[in-house]
């Protein structure tokens, strides 16, 4: 039972980071597509247990990603990827803080980051992970 709940909550983390989920019903449907049969009541309990928050735009975000979302939406100017390397351009002087927020979010498959004054180099474990990180940053940038 606990393993199933943990697996489901891991799937919720992946879904919320990858997609713009606005309703519990949408999350139930996404979980169903991922092979988890659950009710909206179960998802509601998971949301409370995990501390998911809803942004003013109506998109669910993980509590641990909230600080990152605020930093990215306010300070990031551009994102470019080359395979597993993601270059994040930011307002002058803000890169170290953004890199610290990326590291603190403990994102899966992000190996680490290196920050200058206005540029952050993020190293992902694979090209696919780099693409997922780029997508996440762009999603968080658009949630203004």
């Amino acid at each position: 039972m606990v393993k199933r709940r943990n697996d489901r909550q891991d799937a919720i983390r992946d879904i919320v980071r990858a997609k713009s989920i606005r309703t519990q019903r949408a999350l139930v449907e996404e979980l169903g597509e991922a092979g988890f049969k659950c009710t909206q009541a179960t998802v509601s309990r998971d949301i409370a247990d995990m501390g998911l928050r809803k942004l003013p735009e109506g998109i669910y975000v993980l509590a641990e990603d909230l600080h990152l979302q605020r930093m990215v939406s306010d300070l990031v100017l551009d994102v470019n990827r080359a395979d597993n390397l993601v270059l994040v351009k930011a307002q002058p002087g803000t890169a170290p803080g953004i890199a610290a927020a990326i590291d603190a979010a403990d994102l899966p498959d992000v190996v680490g980051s290196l920050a200058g004054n206005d540029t952050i180099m993020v190293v992902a474990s694979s090209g696919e992970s780099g693409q997922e990180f780029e997508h996440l940053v762009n999603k968080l940038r658009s949630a203004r």
Side-chain angles (χ1 to χ4, degrees):
M1 175 85 173
V2 172
K3 181 165 176 27
R4 182 172 178 194
R5 182 182 59 135
N6 289 343
D7 291 345
R8 187 179 60 248
Q9 288 184 358
D10 286 343
I12 289 171
R13 277 185 194 85
D14 293 342
I15 292 166
V16 168
R17 281 184 169 148
K19 299 184 178 187
S20 295
I21 301 296
R22 296 181 179 275
T23 65
Q24 291 180 7
R25 172 61 39 210
L27 191 50
V28 169
E29 291 170 6
E30 290 291 334
L31 284 167
E33 290 177 17
F36 293 91
K37 184 178 179 189
C38 56
T39 65
Q40 189 169 343
T42 300
V43 168
S44 180
R45 283 189 297 274
D46 286 337
I47 287 171
D49 289 347
M50 296 171 66
L52 262 66
R53 303 284 186 256
K54 213 168 200 187
L55 298 176
E57 299 78 20
I59 299 170
Y60 279 107
V61 66
L62 298 169
E64 60 263 31
D65 293 351
L66 195 55
H67 178 64
L68 177 61
Q69 185 276 327
R70 289 182 184 141
M71 297 285 284
V72 168
S73 68
D74 291 343
L75 304 173
V76 169
L77 304 173
D78 195 23
V79 183
N80 293 296
R81 181 182 60 86
D83 196 38
N84 70 319
L85 302 176
V86 182
L87 186 73
V88 180
K89 295 294 288 178
Q91 298 285 342
T94 62
I98 296 168
I102 291 168
D103 293 341
D106 197 28
L107 300 170
D109 301 321
V110 170
V111 177
S113 64
L114 178 66
N117 181 50
D118 64 352
T119 306
I120 304 118
M121 176 67 68
V122 179
V123 180
S125 59
S126 68
E128 182 180 333
S129 297
Q131 186 175 15
E132 290 170 6
F133 177 76
E134 177 187 31
H135 175 76
L136 174 65
V137 172
N138 282 322
K139 174 186 161 189
L140 296 176
R141 282 181 65 211
S142 65
R144 295 178 198 228

